[in-house]
Amino acid sequence: MRARVAPRPHVGHVNTRSPVLTCASNRSTNTTETESFDLLQSFFYGKALAEVLNERLGNMAADILAEFGTAEAELRKMLGDIQDEVAMRAEREIQESKGGVVAQKDRNGALLPPVVEEDEAVDNLRAEIASTRALIQQTRMQQNNKLK
């Protein structure tokens, strides 16, 4: 087999092609190498695409699940608050229907101070002050009696 050489460009002529040596037996080798390179290149592009998609979809799924978890926690808290408010109002109305003072409880079951009007609160404070003064006066009298 004889190799062919591309002709050299004349002076003043610009050749855009590089000289190519071709041989009948080399043609199949070059085609196989080119196909092999193209196949290898396609494989790596495909692998890179799969990795990028996997990362992006994984991050997106994690973000969606985090949003869902946050929304669920907020919903549970809101439902708990509604349940507490409903129970508190029902208890207050039950007590008011009986004519008693309402004993309210918070979420943990601790008693809250009763809801009273301002005038009633002032009267209650005055009564506590009066009873405290009486107790102090009684204590002073007992101490004076002990000293005598």
Side-chain angles (χ1 to χ4, degrees), residues 27-37:
R27 282 186 191 161
S28 65
T29 305
N30 286 343
T31 305
T32 306
E33 287 176 8
T34 304
E35 288 175 356
S36 177
F37 177 75

Side-chain angles (χ1 to χ4, degrees), residues 9-142:
H10 298 291
V11 176
H13 179 268
V14 178
N15 184 10
T16 57
R17 292 184 173 180
S18 59
V20 178
L21 291 174
T22 58
C23 178
S25 64
N26 285 345
R27 282 186 191 161
S28 65
T29 305
N30 286 343
T31 305
T32 306
E33 287 176 8
T34 304
E35 288 175 356
S36 177
F37 177 75
D38 289 344
L39 185 63
L40 188 61
Q41 188 177 14
S42 297
F43 169 77
F44 285 115
Y45 271 96
K47 180 181 175 192
L49 175 66
E51 289 173 350
V52 169
L53 288 177
N54 189 25
E55 290 172 5
R56 297 277 172 100
L57 291 175
N59 290 339
M60 192 183 319
D63 290 344
I64 289 171
L65 290 175
E67 292 279 333
F68 179 74
T70 302
E72 182 185 16
E74 289 174 357
L75 181 63
R76 285 181 186 261
K77 183 184 180 304
M78 192 169 32
L79 287 174
D81 292 344
I82 289 171
Q83 287 176 339
D84 290 344
E85 187 174 347
V86 167
M88 188 170 44
R89 286 186 185 187
E91 286 293 322
R92 181 175 51 219
E93 290 193 18
I94 290 170
Q95 291 297 328
E96 286 175 357
S97 71
K98 291 180 180 178
V101 177
V102 180
Q104 297 178 358
K105 297 179 181 179
D106 66 2
R107 185 177 253 185
N108 298 324
L111 289 176
L112 296 174
V115 177
V116 292
E117 298 294 324
E118 290 177 17
D119 293 337
E120 188 180 342
V122 170
D123 290 341
N124 289 340
L125 289 173
R126 286 182 181 152
E128 285 183 34
I129 291 171
S131 67
T132 305
R133 282 184 181 163
L135 183 62
I136 291 172
Q137 198 173 34
Q138 184 182 9
T139 306
R140 284 183 185 161
M141 287 174 46
Q142 285 177 354

